[in-house]
Amino acid sequence: QVHLKESGGGSVQAGGSLRLSCAASTRVYMVMGWFRQAPGKEREVVATIDAAGNTNYAADSVKGRFTISRDDAANRLFLQMDSTTPEDTAMYYCAAGWGMGVKMIVDYWGQGTQVTVSS
């Protein structure tokens, strides 16, 4: 059983930056990823990273702006969000599972952290 807890969300003006963090209860030998869900929309994958630390997927909407990384020594996953836009406003979820990108199968979810980008 893996417990995931996100932090780092908040409010930022468009063009600003945020760094999300996800703390895992134990070492995670799985693909990890960030998902988001905006009001009235389906949850979508933002980025995934494999157990070796290679970024294997990033949604077109965030490429060049968001960077996913992991520190397995600290059992942490990160999402650096730069050049944010109001369209990035959503609840962001940390996940662990298998597979790549939109085909990722999630075994464990965090509770989410809210990100609000104002124009």
Side-chain angles (χ1 to χ4, degrees):
Q1 187 77 6
V2 178
H3 296 284
L4 304 172
K5 184 172 177 60
E6 303 91 340
S7 61
S11 297
V12 65
Q13 288 194 324
S17 297
L18 280 175
R19 182 174 172 85
L20 305 185
S21 179
C22 172
S25 58
T26 186
R27 175 73 181 262
V28 179
Y29 295 93
M30 305 167 82
V31 171
M32 296 193 75
W34 288 98
F35 289 69
R36 67 185 181 186
Q37 187 167 18
K41 295 188 177 181
E42 293 186 355
R43 191 172 296 190
E44 62 176 357
V45 61
V46 175
T48 59
I49 186 166
D50 65 18
N54 301 312
T55 306
N56 54 22
Y57 175 84
D60 287 343
S61 58
V62 306
K63 279 181 181 177
R65 300 189 301 120
F66 292 7
T67 303
I68 188 171
S69 62
R70 63 193 294 168
D71 181 351
D72 288 321
N75 298 338
R76 284 190 177 267
L77 178 73
F78 302 99
L79 185 69
Q80 178 67 39
M81 305 171 61
D82 298 319
S83 303
T84 54
T85 73
E87 287 70 35
D88 295 322
T89 296
M91 184 72 77
Y92 282 73
Y93 298 91
C94 174
W98 310 97
M100 298 170 55
V102 296
K103 296 183 178 180
M104 181 176 175
I105 298 171
V106 177
D107 286 343
Y108 304 102
W109 290 101
Q111 294 183 328
T113 185
Q114 177 67 39
V115 171
T116 302
V117 183
S118 58
S119 58

